[in-house]
Amino acid sequence: MNLVLDLDGLDALIRVLRDDGRVVVGPVLRDNAITLAELDSAADLPGGWGVEIGAGHYRVRKRDDAAVFGHSAGPQSWKRFLHPPRRVLMSSDGNEFRTAQDTAPDYAFLGVRACDLAAIAKLRQVVGGPAPFVIAAQCTEPGELCFCASMGCGPAAGPGYDVALTERIDSGGHRFLAAAGTVEGTRLLDRLPGRAATQEDITLAAQDVDAAAQRMGRAMPEVDLRDLLAANRDSAHWEAVAERCLTCGNCTMVCPTCFCVSVEDTTDLDGNAERSQRWASCFEIDFSYLHGGAVRTSGAARYRQWMTHKLGTWRDQFGTSGCVGCGRCIAWCPAGIDITEEAAALAETTQLGGE
Ligand code: SF4
Ligand code: SF4
């Protein structure tokens, strides 16, 4: 089913989801960035705001139009809702222990781009939990750091969405082609004010998404990345990266698929105790602490571990790559280290079998 919604229709979509008891989360302009937060209405969306993005660089900028999904990946991903940065596992007041009961809201995610839709599927393979209702935003305007096309994750939204929206602003007005991807999505569209899409609406939307594939700012080298990383275990290039890498872990925090956690116990002087789980990073020195010492003591070893897992051994573990090409790790690396450039540098000096 395909429907064309205007901004009032988008507002109605949010209202209907909220009336159904869902917590609707989507992009908002906050703290000079496009972040993710609960939406009350379409007015909360970052209408007219885009981003200027580069390696180690992110700025919001005013757009020439009122597009609400005219921005590429921001500093947050949907990970924080499916896999919270900190979660209490159990606690005690000194008399009794309480095991935390997870009561995740019934989420509806609005404005999920193709890369993040793929990331949600990868993350849920690990963390599980209830599936959110997903309203994807087809990508028609990739950013300078996007490379989802070369990772096979976009720009067209793959499977997993309930409704996909394609935003278009032209002489015909500001509108969204809404396509249902599931029965629940169809039921939602049935309750919204809008007009039936014409073949022209569908063709124009498809053309916009196809054109986006040609405008990706980055691309991964066209080699088997798993073989590339396996062949470069002892490469001198890791030391060259380590000269720039601060081992700060920003790349793992912003990555929508990095899932590692650490568990810690804390107590206070009143006799309360808490066991909590928090995001951890393979760039932390004690991440690989084993019986008396850390295994990966150098920055070179830690960067190699991250990139090898992300692009190589993730495939052995889960059957797919751990990278969806969102570009966040490049934007939010204080040293501007670019995973596509590092992969290209390795590929330049590596002769892989069968090539
Ligand atoms: S490795 Fe970088 S580009 Fe790939 S999914 Fe993670 S943050 Fe995005
Ligand atoms: S690659 Fe960049 S973001 Fe990642 S740990 Fe190194 S300096 Fe930090």
Side-chain angles (χ1 to χ4, degrees):
M1 175 183 188
N2 292 292
L3 200 65
V4 175
L5 305 173
D6 58 14
L7 270 175
D8 288 340
L10 187 64
D11 200 47
L13 181 150
I14 295 171
R15 197 169 51 246
V16 167
L17 289 168
R18 285 171 58 85
D19 288 350
D20 288 348
R22 296 186 193 270
V23 173
V24 184
V25 178
V28 299
L29 178 67
R30 187 168 292 173
D31 301 329
N32 288 322
I34 308 288
T35 60
L36 298 172
E38 185 173 350
L39 304 175
D40 291 330
S41 73
D44 293 334
L45 293 165
W49 288 96
V51 296
E52 174 192 299
I53 198 163
H57 178 88
Y58 178 98
R59 295 281 183 280
V60 289
R61 63 166 175 83
K62 276 303 266 178
R63 295 175 54 90
D64 297 332
D65 60 25
V68 296
F69 299 125
H71 50 84
S72 53
Q76 293 178 342
S77 72
W78 309 90
K79 174 168 83 172
R80 67 184 301 103
F81 301 98
L82 301 171
H83 179 47
R86 185 173 184 279
R87 194 159 69 92
V88 175
L89 301 176
M90 66 168 79
S91 60
S92 169
D93 59 5
N95 294 310
E96 66 173 323
F97 275 96
R98 289 179 299 276
T99 307
Q101 302 297 321
D102 273 340
T103 49
D106 193 2
Y107 281 124
F109 294 164
L110 172 66
V112 179
R113 294 162 86 92
C115 56
D116 281 340
L117 186 62
I120 287 170
K122 291 176 197 292
L123 187 66
R124 290 195 62 248
Q125 266 187 292
V126 180
V127 303
F133 189 88
V134 173
I135 299 121
Q138 297 284 18
C139 180
T140 56
E141 205 174 288
E144 179 58 26
L145 301 180
C146 293
F147 57 99
C148 67
S150 62
M151 297 309 294
C153 296
Y161 63 80
D162 293 283
V163 173
L165 301 175
T166 312
E167 184 172 27
R168 181 163 244 273
I169 302 176
D170 60 15
S171 56
H174 188 173
R175 59 198 188 279
F176 305 84
L177 174 70
T182 59
V183 173
E184 289 76 17
T186 303
R187 286 199 196 113
L188 173 68
L189 296 189
D190 279 343
R191 297 162 68 193
L192 299 181
R195 65 167 171 81
T198 63
Q199 188 53 50
E200 187 188 7
D201 292 318
I202 296 168
T203 303
L204 285 174
Q207 284 172 353
D208 289 348
V209 178
D210 284 348
Q214 312 306 320
R215 300 205 311 273
M216 296 275 144
R218 296 282 195 283
M220 269 292 177
E222 291 181 14
V223 297
D224 185 309
L225 294 168
R226 180 178 170 280
D227 290 351
L228 179 70
L229 273 300
N232 278 285
R233 199 184 138 65
D234 299 318
S235 169
H237 187 69
W238 302 121
E239 290 297 341
V241 184
E243 282 175 17
R244 290 168 280 142
C245 176
L246 309 172
T247 65
C248 66
N250 266 16
C251 47
T252 56
M253 296 296 117
V254 296
C255 179
T257 65
C258 276
F259 56 78
C260 287
V261 293
S262 184
V263 173
E264 57 194 15
D265 294 336
T266 52
T267 56
D268 67 21
L269 294 176
D270 295 327
N272 299 305
E274 204 170 75
R275 171 163 293 176
S276 57
Q277 171 186 290
R278 62 165 178 80
W279 288 355
S281 169
C282 51
F283 283 93
E284 294 166 23
I285 184 72
D286 57 356
F287 183 83
S288 61
Y289 186 94
L290 286 175
H291 50 75
V295 173
R296 289 188 285 271
T297 53
S298 69
R302 279 176 261 162
Y303 189 85
R304 179 184 65 184
Q305 158 64 24
W306 178 66
M307 191 165 156
T308 302
H309 186 215
K310 191 71 30 186
L311 300 179
T313 51
W314 198 293
R315 259 167 60 188
D316 300 320
Q317 202 175 3
F318 301 113
T320 64
S321 169
C323 176
V324 297
C326 69
R328 286 184 177 93
C329 57
I330 310 172
W332 297 94
C333 171
I337 294 174
D338 180 338
I339 191 171
T340 64
E341 283 181 6
E342 305 311 331
L346 291 174
E348 252 175 47
T349 55
T350 309
Q351 190 68 46
L352 292 176
E355 291 183 327

